Amino acid sequence: MSLIKVENLVKNYDYYSKEQGLRNSFKNIFKRKKLIKEAVKGISFNIDAGEIVGFIGPNGAGKTTTLKILSGIIYPTSGIALVDGFTPWERKKQFKMNFSIVMGQKTQLNWDLPALETFYLNKHIYEISDADYKSTLGELTELLEVGDLVKKQVRRLSLGERMRMEFIAALLHRPKILFLDEPTIGLDLISQKSIRDFIKYYNQKTNATILLTSHYMNDIESLCKRSIIINEGVIAYDGDLSGISDELSIEDAITQIYKNGAVA
């Protein structure tokens, strides 16, 4: 059963060009040249319940834009998206209770407070009972091996420690859909493996549906049986990475897709 359905999804951004100099600044007040950036160009795919799917592409390919649409952060220009039966940008309460998004380059934690304060805030936002909050927090802190670090000011945590806190904050309400945008970016190899092991465990235990973007092939190969490759806003491949090409390595095949849009 498809938990995430995307049909002909399009997202365009309007922007204006400007030549250098004060004269052109004044000129732009009265007449500006409008341009359109096509971030996502009519993509379609389905993801079944319990799948971990890799969403691969170069910078600017449309990965994060797609995740933001699916999580209701931004509106699409056109197209259809259903996540657990909900239209994401309608932002209905039950939809927001069913998913979480973790972005490696952005934080939901308060920089000046211990992570425990954010956890407690999320407890009330997601209406988690005292018993469930205590049980889930204890389980997650043990699995991610953070211990008393939850009481330490976030700004004093290492990047790896902070990412573990991000996962705890995102999973306290036990979402069944998880969007992960570069969750291991900048981490050392040991921290990357720790995060990958945790993601795999969470998926196996809860049957959560996970859409993962990453530039690290170890993340994709370790976690995802299926991958969607997007380039310049268009899906170039959807399937098992091992099926891309019998003659090329996975890395070479992906590079060829980025350049040409297909593999021979």
Side-chain angles (χ1 to χ4, degrees):
M1 175 184 176
S2 295
L3 200 64
I4 300 174
K5 298 181 180 180
V6 174
E7 294 181 11
N8 300 317
L9 198 65
V10 174
K11 179 60 180 178
N12 298 331
Y13 292 100
D14 297 341
Y15 67 101
Y16 298 89
S17 65
K18 175 190 172 298
E19 300 295 331
Q20 183 178 350
L22 182 60
R23 179 180 178 181
N24 288 308
S25 295
F26 281 112
K27 182 180 177 181
N28 268 27
I29 294 175
F30 303 101
K31 185 178 181 181
R32 297 189 295 176
K33 183 178 180 181
K34 183 178 179 180
L35 302 173
I36 296 176
K37 165 64 176 177
E38 298 177 300
V40 177
K41 304 176 184 177
I43 64 173
S44 300
F45 60 84
N46 293 333
I47 298 177
D48 293 336
E51 274 194 286
I52 305 181
V53 177
F55 202 40
I56 312 171
N59 291 329
K63 304 186 302 298
T64 299
T65 297
T66 302
L67 289 191
K68 286 182 176 179
I69 292 173
L70 293 178
S71 57
I73 296 174
I74 60 176
Y75 291 78
T77 302
S78 62
I80 297 172
L82 291 175
V83 179
D84 196 23
F86 295 94
T87 300
W89 48 93
E90 292 178 354
R91 299 171 184 167
K92 293 182 178 179
K93 179 180 178 180
Q94 190 55 52
F95 164 71
K96 291 186 286 186
M97 301 289 274
N98 287 346
F99 87 97
S100 262
I101 182 167
V102 176
M103 308 183 77
Q105 301 188 62
K106 293 186 178 180
T107 181
Q108 64 171 307
L109 304 171
N110 189 306
W111 200 246
D112 297 310
L113 295 174
L116 197 58
E117 298 291 343
T118 300
F119 302 160
Y120 192 68
L121 174 63
N122 283 5
K123 170 189 182 299
H124 292 281
I125 291 174
Y126 290 104
E127 302 173 358
I128 305 170
S129 69
D130 291 342
D132 287 344
Y133 173 72
K134 183 177 180 180
S135 172
T136 304
L137 180 60
E139 179 184 9
L140 292 175
T141 53
E142 181 179 354
L143 286 170
L144 289 168
E145 300 178 336
V146 293
D148 287 338
L149 289 175
V150 296
K151 301 176 183 178
K152 188 176 180 180
Q153 193 179 27
V154 171
R155 66 167 60 251
R156 299 185 183 280
L157 298 173
S158 69
L159 178 58
E161 291 168 346
R162 182 177 65 77
M163 282 310 303
R164 296 182 190 196
M165 301 303 176
E166 294 284 353
F167 271 94
I168 294 174
L171 299 178
L172 278 173
H173 62 293
R174 296 186 179 274
K176 60 180 179 180
I177 301 166
L178 193 56
F179 300 120
L180 304 179
D181 189 22
E182 302 283 357
T184 61
I185 189 167
L187 300 183
D188 60 77
L189 295 177
I190 295 175
S191 296
Q192 287 179 27
K193 185 178 184 304
S194 176
I195 293 295
R196 286 196 298 268
D197 289 344
F198 175 75
I199 293 171
K200 184 180 294 185
Y201 170 82
Y202 186 80
N203 168 258
Q204 292 173 345
K205 180 177 180 182
T206 67
N207 199 41
T209 305
I210 300 174
L211 186 58
L212 165 69
T213 79
S214 179
H215 288 296
Y216 299 130
M217 284 309 301
N218 282 341
D219 291 350
I220 303 300
E221 292 177 325
S222 298
L223 295 170
C224 308
K225 293 182 179 179
R226 171 190 170 200
S227 290
I228 299 171
I229 300 177
I230 184 171
N231 190 29
E232 297 182 351
V234 177
I235 291 180
Y237 181 82
D238 183 351
D240 191 328
L241 276 182
S242 64
I244 291 178
S245 174
D246 294 331
E247 298 179 359
L248 299 176
S249 69
I250 288 177
E251 290 79 2
D252 289 340
I254 290 174
T255 299
Q256 188 167 327
I257 285 175
Y258 287 171
K259 291 180 178 178
N260 306 320
V263 171

